[in-house]
Amino acid sequence: MREALMVGAAGRARTAVGVRRVGLLLGLGLMVLAVSAAVWTADAAAAKKKAPARTEPATFEAQGSVGQLYVLDARPGSKLLLVNPRGRIARKAEADRFGSKVFRDLRPGKGYSVRQRRGGEVAGTAAIRVLKPGANPRQAFYRKQPDLKEGLNYIKMRDGIELAVAVRLPPGKTFADGPFPTVIEHSGYQTAAPHDLFAAIASGKDDPLAPATSTIVGSLLGPRLDFAVVSVQMRGSGCSGGAFDLFGLPTTYDGYDMVETVAHQPWVDGDVGMVGISFSGISQLFAAGTRPPHLAAIAPMSVTDDIYTATGYPGGIFNSGFALSWVTERVEDAMPAPEGGQPYAKALVDAGDRHCIRNQKLRLQTLDALGLIETNPHRTPKLFDERAPGDWLKSAEVPVFLTGQYQDEQTGGHFPESLSNLRGNRNVWVTMQNGIHTDSLGPLAMTRWVEFLDLFVANRVPRVPGVLTGPGNLYGAIAGPSAPVEQSKYVDMTDVNAARAAFRSDNPRFRLLMDNGAGPWGLGAQGATWEMKSSSWPPNRAQARRYFLGDDGRLGGAKQSKHSSAGYRADPGARPSTNLASGGVNAAQPDYDWAAVADGKGLGFTSRALTRDVVISGPSSLDLYLKSSRRDTDVQATISEVRPDGNETYVQSGWLRASHRKLDHRRSTALDPVPTHLKRDAKRLPKKGFTKVRIPIYPVSHAFRAGSKIRVTILAAGGDRSEWEFDTIDSGATRNVISLGGDMASKLVLPVLNGATAKGTPLPEPTALRGQPSRVYGEASNGG
């Protein structure tokens, strides 16, 4: 169930990361520099010269897409002229070695053409329309799509690009047993490979025509829940056509087109849903935002809400660990087969699949997501806004069932920040818990996930099949030791409308599972021991409680009257770059090596032992008055629980590059500072004096038990996450000083639920909580 190349072994040298980044940029991303310059050049500035008149038809193909126009089958290396609707030359380009070119960032409208000088003639296309976002085809377009068969198929999008799709029926059934309730999984991982994933896993052999295990939700679980599944390969990957552009507008509106195409199939019963974890969870947010009329519901798992703020540049610092490795894999997946690309594409191209062969033609036009991210270290709205999955939720009107983990080692725990975008949608159910990326498939969410799909997609009374609940079930084989998956409480009802009403009544809008891993099913086994419910996020009763940083590492509710300070050297090399010694995090007991704060290389501030439970739920803020020996520095803040037994449990972290400290005051609160990350707002630290900086700490729900202490540590970026590393600007020479007390009192602000307790549950064992490493507590050099 691993979804991306695992990187981040403890102790990896930062120089190796830098070399890898430079090598990748030189080897794969040089075209981005030229492409980016062209993409962001305004047409009005470029279109000064009148285009030569067309004298003969073009021998190449050109077609409009959403905000783009692409060319196929031109002479490799030949010069192409993009002509705008006013007859002016808007862009000049060269066809790649496949004879292809994508012109990006075009104003929607008709009247574009592509021309080419050939001797004394000018070959050119007829007028081309660049498509407008949201200008969707009529339903007749989808009714004309061919009937899909079981196995591999190809369907056309609004811009003529073909996507590879695999139709998977419930085991032992044929189309004669239909119609079937149907769900779509849309992913850039190997998803449309036509073979059966279960058979591949059972055989123990490598099958290049089997889907990736990261598509397990659609390719394995969906059919066994008695759904037909359509596994859709993302544009620019596998055997799908087009150029890969991470969550660009053409890919987003593919979501609309695939939903409408599948819904018009004769074997589909009613409107269709969408399922998937990670990549195929994130793609659902975009698709729902386009509002396909035949989309029934979405059920995303383990998503991110923003590829800049949440995952790519936490706090404005490049994530050179997981984010780098993941995008590197996506670039490799997008390479043309059979020389590169995904295994099933290589196999099918070698076998002569004419669709898959033709669909490789635009692969050299892949827009390198890594290059764009690295050449845009600030949040460039034109680049990132349309690619922010959380923003597309504002337009989602269908029922939503979303699951995620605060300590997700891959996509991160920032996703709750987008949940306010669902405020106007009544049919929303969100489950959150401590844990790792794959815990969205955990047992306590599984039953309600099945219920949701049955009620809101299949329109039937829920039943959790024995393959998930019976002895020796498939779920146990996949997930390992865990709490049991329960049968639906509605299974004996006969009226689906009554069951749906009961589901709405029984399930809170926000279900917060607590202490995942601390149950009786084994140390660290999946399953929470208690839960909280809320009608809002953050919970309405979450109040900002201030804990002031003081002398000798004290953390308390009253600020000290006298002003003082504490300093440290920002040295990312003082600890391993991650908290994982070896292996991965999926095991019940991962091989964590969460290093202590090195002497003089960080600060710790610790409260007195709590006299009662303190339960937090929501984002937090570390409000510092900071002075630095350099004009910019990276700060990491980590909250932890110091236990009575002398161990320390990780809770959550946040980051900030000090020059990114400017806040969006319309969105920021006492608990939730929201930096703009805009280039125009970036400002170096002053040469003298303290400057207020607010570090956003990612959302979390956690119960600090009576007898424990609350701790916050401040140090250089890195070392507290299992797969995130940071390309920090600090190298060990920067000295940072934090103001304490007086008129410049630094403080930690936590979202405390007034009156909440851990409901009498005991303090978990030190290594029980999933996604939350443990270490022996040791004081920092300032005493906290």
Side-chain angles (χ1 to χ4, degrees):
M1 296 173 66
R2 299 302 295 140
E3 300 183 19
L5 180 66
M6 302 299 296
V7 298
R12 174 179 295 144
R14 292 178 62 252
T15 52
V17 174
V19 169
R20 183 177 57 179
R21 291 179 60 215
V22 171
L24 184 63
L25 281 173
L26 292 176
L28 299 175
L30 284 176
M31 65 145 182
V32 173
L33 302 178
V35 169
S36 298
V39 166
W40 309 127
T41 300
D43 289 347
K48 295 181 179 180
K49 188 174 180 181
K50 188 174 181 179
R54 173 178 179 257
T55 61
E56 63 182 29
T59 57
F60 53 83
E61 175 187 347
Q63 189 159 336
S65 183
V66 183
Q68 301 181 358
L69 184 155
Y70 63 89
V71 176
L72 297 173
D73 299 325
R75 190 175 73 254
S78 60
K79 307 298 183 183
L80 301 172
L81 303 177
L82 174 66
V83 180
N84 69 17
R86 293 175 294 154
R88 302 281 178 173
I89 297 174
R91 310 260 177 88
K92 296 180 181 180
E94 186 175 292
D96 62 30
R97 63 183 174 88
F98 289 170
S100 303
K101 175 63 186 174
V102 175
F103 294 98
R104 294 180 167 88
D105 196 44
L106 302 179
R107 291 189 179 95
K110 59 184 179 180
Y112 286 90
S113 66
V114 180
R115 299 176 192 175
Q116 186 178 61
R117 291 186 175 92
R118 294 194 309 198
E121 303 295 329
V122 177
T125 64
I128 299 168
R129 180 186 293 274
V130 172
L131 306 181
K132 180 181 180 181
N136 302 309
R138 298 179 184 275
Q139 289 296 306
F141 172 79
Y142 306 107
R143 287 194 291 268
K144 291 178 181 177
Q145 294 271 20
D147 290 351
L148 302 180
K149 65 183 187 300
E150 189 172 9
L152 182 64
N153 303 263
Y154 294 90
I155 59 176
K156 280 199 173 182
M157 301 293 98
R158 65 186 65 191
D159 60 358
I161 292 295
E162 278 189 340
L163 299 190
V165 305
V167 175
R168 310 183 196 279
L169 299 182
K173 294 189 176 181
T174 68
F175 285 125
D177 299 307
F180 300 100
T182 302
V183 293
I184 292 171
E185 181 168 32
H186 178 212
S187 177
Y189 298 141
Q190 178 159 308
T191 187
H195 284 187
D196 180 60
L197 177 58
F198 181 76
I201 293 174
S203 72
K205 298 179 181 178
D206 183 29
D207 181 358
L209 293 177
T213 54
S214 50
T215 68
I216 194 169
V217 176
S219 58
L220 193 151
L221 292 179
R224 284 154 184 83
L225 299 178
D226 207 30
F227 284 85
V229 175
V230 181
S231 301
V232 182
Q233 189 69 53
M234 191 168 283
R235 170 183 296 249
S237 65
C239 281
S240 286
F244 183 75
D245 177 358
L246 185 62
F247 305 128
L249 287 176
T251 301
T252 292
Y253 282 95
D254 287 346
Y256 184 104
D257 291 348
M258 69 184 66
V259 167
E260 295 306 295
T261 296
V262 172
H264 281 84
Q265 292 295 305
W267 45 267
V268 171
D269 184 13
D271 293 345
V272 301
M274 296 187 77
V275 298
I277 185 171
S278 194
F279 208 164
S280 51
I282 297 166
S283 64
Q284 296 176 54
L285 311 188
F286 291 96
T290 68
R291 296 183 177 177
H294 292 93
L295 179 63
I298 62 171
M301 300 174 171
S302 300
V303 301
T304 185
D305 64 309
D306 192 285
I307 62 174
Y308 181 92
T309 306
T311 309
Y313 273 89
I317 310 168
F318 181 64
N319 179 351
S320 58
F322 175 78
L324 174 65
S325 68
W326 188 86
V327 175
T328 302
E329 271 204 337
R330 305 291 71 76
V331 172
E332 292 169 351
D333 274 357
M335 290 180 177
E339 293 83 4
Q342 294 177 342
Y344 89 104
K346 296 178 183 179
L348 291 178
V349 167
D350 286 339
D353 184 311
R354 60 184 181 87
H355 290 276
C356 192
I357 292 171
R358 179 169 175 79
N359 289 342
Q360 307 302 308
K361 288 190 174 184
L362 281 169
R363 292 307 172 80
L364 299 181
Q365 294 297 307
T366 291
L367 191 58
D368 182 12
L370 177 64
L372 283 177
I373 290 173
E374 292 217 4
T375 54
N376 288 270
H378 297 88
R379 186 183 178 86
T380 305
K382 193 176 187 67
L383 174 64
F384 289 104
D385 285 359
E386 71 182 37
R387 294 173 172 83
D391 284 355
W392 286 86
L393 279 178
K394 296 174 184 176
S395 301
E397 298 178 325
V398 297
V400 176
F401 188 92
L402 186 149
T403 53
Q405 289 66 244
Y406 309 112
Q407 294 86 12
D408 189 313
E409 76 284 0
Q410 297 183 20
T411 52
H414 194 271
F415 69 93
E417 295 287 78
S418 67
L419 298 179
S420 61
N421 292 333
L422 290 167
R423 190 177 292 116
N425 188 336
R426 292 177 58 248
N427 294 308
V428 172
W429 293 274
V430 178
T431 299
M432 295 185 281
Q433 61 186 339
N434 65 287
I436 63 172
H437 191 63
T438 54
D439 283 0
S440 286
L441 291 163
L444 298 189
M446 182 61 61
T447 296
R448 286 165 177 78
W449 177 70
V450 173
E451 291 171 343
F452 175 82
L453 293 176
D454 277 345
L455 289 168
F456 292 94
V457 178
N459 193 36
R460 64 192 178 199
V461 172
R463 175 182 295 275
V464 182
V467 71
L468 296 181
T469 62
N473 62 75
L474 174 64
Y475 182 84
I478 295 171
S482 67
V485 176
E486 298 177 347
Q487 181 55 261
S488 171
K489 65 169 71 175
Y490 315 115
V491 67
D492 294 325
M493 299 181 72
T494 57
D495 184 337
V496 66
N497 290 322
R500 193 179 294 115
F503 179 91
R504 285 191 170 107
S505 175
D506 293 343
N507 289 284
R509 188 174 178 88
F510 297 97
R511 184 185 185 212
L512 312 178
L513 301 178
M514 304 296 291
D515 292 348
N516 177 26
W521 311 285
L523 192 64
Q526 291 191 63
T529 58
W530 59 289
E531 62 184 81
M532 301 188 295
K533 302 176 181 179
S534 179
S535 60
S536 65
W537 179 263
N540 286 328
R541 57 179 176 149
Q543 302 295 315
R545 183 176 295 180
R546 300 177 299 175
Y547 293 84
F548 289 94
L549 282 56
D551 288 338
D552 302 320
R554 293 192 300 271
L555 184 69
K559 69 177 179 179
Q560 63 187 35
S561 58
K562 68 171 184 176
H563 174 264
S564 61
S565 63
Y568 69 98
R569 194 164 296 280
D571 184 3
R575 300 192 304 157
S577 59
T578 73
N579 62 23
L580 196 63
S582 63
V585 297
N586 282 336
Q589 292 290 288
D591 186 16
Y592 285 123
D593 181 18
W594 183 30
V597 179
D599 188 40
K601 304 300 178 66
L603 302 174
F605 297 88
T606 306
S607 74
R608 293 179 178 178
L610 302 174
T611 58
R612 59 176 64 90
D613 294 348
V614 173
V615 181
I616 63 172
S617 188
S620 304
S621 178
L622 181 62
D623 301 347
L624 298 180
Y625 287 91
L626 171 70
K627 180 169 62 176
S628 180
S629 64
R630 299 293 175 94
R631 300 298 300 278
D632 205 0
T633 185
D634 295 335
V635 182
Q636 174 175 285
T638 293
I639 301 170
S640 58
E641 178 177 4
V642 179
R643 302 155 47 96
D645 60 12
N647 291 296
E648 181 182 5
T649 299
Y650 174 89
V651 176
Q652 191 56 291
S653 294
W655 303 265
L656 184 71
R657 178 158 290 171
S659 60
H660 287 233
R661 63 189 178 275
K662 174 75 172 180
L663 299 180
D664 182 342
H665 292 291
R666 297 169 302 171
R667 299 170 58 198
S668 298
T669 68
L671 284 166
D672 195 9
V674 182
T676 68
H677 294 299
L678 298 175
K679 185 176 182 179
R680 69 169 182 261
D681 292 336
K683 188 175 182 180
R684 295 198 299 169
L685 292 167
K687 293 181 179 180
K688 296 181 179 181
F690 290 96
T691 300
K692 186 175 182 179
V693 297
R694 299 188 62 198
I695 302 170
I697 298 176
Y698 282 17
V700 71
S701 297
H702 183 81
F704 296 89
R705 294 325 202 269
S708 289
K709 302 175 183 178
I710 299 171
R711 189 189 198 200
V712 62
T713 54
I714 304 168
L715 62 171
D720 287 353
R721 297 272 301 180
S722 61
E723 294 188 27
W724 285 16
E725 299 175 62
F726 295 92
D727 187 27
T728 176
I729 57 177
D730 295 318
S731 60
T734 304
R735 179 167 175 78
N736 293 334
V737 180
I738 307 300
S739 172
L740 308 175
D743 294 334
M744 292 184 290
S746 299
K747 61 183 181 292
L748 173 68
V749 188
L750 296 180
V752 176
L753 301 185
N754 286 336
T757 70
K759 299 184 178 181
T761 58
L763 178 68
E765 290 295 315
T767 63
L769 298 183
R770 293 178 65 81
Q772 298 184 241
S774 176
R775 65 187 176 193
V776 175
Y777 168 67
E779 289 184 353
S781 54
N782 68 315

